[in-house]
Amino acid sequence: MKVTASAPAKINLQLSVGGLRADGYHDLVTVYQALDLKDEVSLTERADGMGIQCISLGEFNSGVPSDDTNLAVRAARLVADQVGVSCDLSIEITKRIPVAAGLAGGSADAAAALVAAAELYGYGGNLQLLAAQLGSDIGFSFLGGTALGTSRGEVVVPVMSRGEYWWVIMSASNGLSTPRVYQKLDQLRDEGAVKEPMQMQPKQELLQALLSGSANQLATQLTNDLQPAALAIAPKLQRVIDAAMDDGALAALVAGSGPTCVALVKDYEHALDVAARISGQNVASRVLISRAPASGAEIVSIERG
Ligand code: C5P
């Protein structure tokens, strides 16, 4: 049997980062939005005792691990463990989401693998709980849409959002390590260069903008506490943000821990226009267009051998 599932990349419309916790994570209040930029994960059963073989295909497959550090491998194994079967699978990941980009591509692979493995093994338990065990953003990739994330980001509840939003996604050639960006933020705060968060709550104005469905209103409410840290490590990202604003974007900011930058635009036509201009400026290694909010992890196909 072969099961294929997809799961979306995310951006953070609000990313408020609290203090460092004893477990090494930071408390977050974040508003996630899922992009229609999705990875696909196929799980194919292999003969007993053959174990797991994992390969990555697609435009952004370079640097994706094939061993147990791959979150999709860990997710499939976790579901097999819950059911009490040995995990003998061929795992194929089609990477459309840039890697180490701040878009939670690895988390999307885990969310897709959880859904596919649950189908394959007939697991009926709570996948959201398994997602939270594997990583901070996986619960959201599983849920999709627009959602409020708290604790370290793994506790997610849907947020009301009207209409659709168009984003221009500007990738960088080098990835940024998420732990490094969080550490940089702690350092900047210790030095007094960046303020501690004033309040750890969802911004009411942001939630109202999402209810209004107005991209113009949403554009005034986007915040990312990790942006100063990402810019301190990779100052060139400011050029990407400036270029997007010069090219007519409504707002532009670093996506999560970066280095991808995202620009909110009015509609599809505007997205094409801004993306074409940015592509001509040589500031981003790759420019994509994406619509949001998109659905969470879901089964794409089931083939019975
Ligand atoms: O949970 P995940 O594996 O995605 O997190 C990657 C790293 O990002 C963590 O090891 C931690 O260094 C940092 N992080 C954090 N606080 C969070 C989420 C992630 O410090 N809320």
Side-chain angles (χ1 to χ4, degrees):
M1 185 169 168
K2 176 178 180 179
V3 180
T4 301
S6 67
K10 62 86 189 161
I11 51 175
N12 305 81
L13 307 177
Q14 172 183 352
L15 181 47
S16 299
V17 181
L20 180 63
R21 312 192 317 194
D23 64 2
Y25 286 89
H26 295 74
D27 273 319
L28 299 185
V29 172
T30 185
V31 176
Y32 293 109
Q33 193 171 63
L35 301 176
D36 68 355
L37 177 64
K38 295 183 174 189
D39 279 356
E40 266 182 25
V41 176
S42 292
L43 306 184
T44 309
E45 283 175 306
R46 305 172 89 198
D48 283 356
M50 286 187 79
I52 293 182
Q53 180 195 52
C54 176
I55 56 162
S56 299
L57 312 166
E59 190 178 354
F60 295 108
N61 72 335
S62 102
V64 178
S66 55
D67 59 11
D68 271 18
T69 59
N70 187 307
L71 279 169
V73 173
R74 291 178 50 202
R77 224 187 262 293
L78 188 57
V79 176
D81 287 349
Q82 298 294 311
V83 177
V85 294
S86 92
C87 195
D88 301 300
L89 291 174
S90 172
I91 302 180
E92 197 178 277
I93 306 174
T94 305
K95 294 288 315 168
R96 300 195 186 97
I97 306 172
V99 176
L103 299 171
S107 298
D109 301 344
L114 279 179
V115 169
E119 177 67 33
L120 197 71
Y121 295 126
Y123 177 69
N126 188 336
L127 291 182
Q128 193 80 46
L129 284 180
L130 298 190
Q133 281 180 42
L134 289 164
S136 308
D137 297 328
I138 300 170
F140 174 68
S141 192
F142 176 71
L143 184 69
T146 308
L148 173 67
T150 52
S151 184
R152 61 184 169 90
E154 85 285 14
V155 179
V156 280
V157 289
V159 157
M160 301 262 278
S161 173
R162 184 173 276 129
E164 62 180 28
Y165 299 92
W166 286 89
W167 294 90
V168 177
I169 317 292
M170 298 161 287
S171 309
S173 45
N174 299 321
L176 268 183
S177 141
T178 303
R180 189 166 165 227
V181 177
Y182 274 99
Q183 279 160 19
K184 189 72 189 176
L185 177 63
D186 291 337
Q187 185 197 326
L188 292 174
R189 283 179 172 166
D190 287 348
E191 292 165 354
V194 168
K195 282 197 203 117
E196 295 288 331
M198 297 295 282
Q199 53 170 6
M200 291 294 287
Q201 277 173 5
K203 266 174 75 182
Q204 289 310 311
E205 297 85 349
L206 170 64
L207 300 180
Q208 274 158 20
L210 286 167
L211 269 180
S212 79
S214 155
N216 277 304
Q217 224 169 300
L218 183 63
T220 63
Q221 301 303 331
L222 303 171
T223 54
N224 180 3
D225 282 2
L226 288 179
Q227 180 161 311
L231 288 175
I233 299 170
K236 279 187 183 164
L237 297 180
Q238 188 63 53
R239 281 176 51 206
V240 184
I241 293 172
D242 292 345
M245 294 309 290
D246 290 347
D247 289 339
L250 301 176
L253 74 169
V254 172
S257 56
T260 302
C261 295
V262 291
L264 180 62
V265 292
K266 281 183 250 172
D267 50 28
Y268 176 62
E269 294 299 323
H270 191 207
L272 288 177
D273 187 40
V274 171
R277 287 193 220 182
I278 292 169
S279 299
Q281 285 179 52
N282 213 16
V283 287
S285 71
R286 185 86 165 80
V287 181
L288 305 166
I289 289 173
S290 196
R291 187 174 55 179
S295 53
E298 58 196 355
I299 301 285
V300 174
S301 65
I302 300 174
E303 293 168 39
R304 290 174 211 278

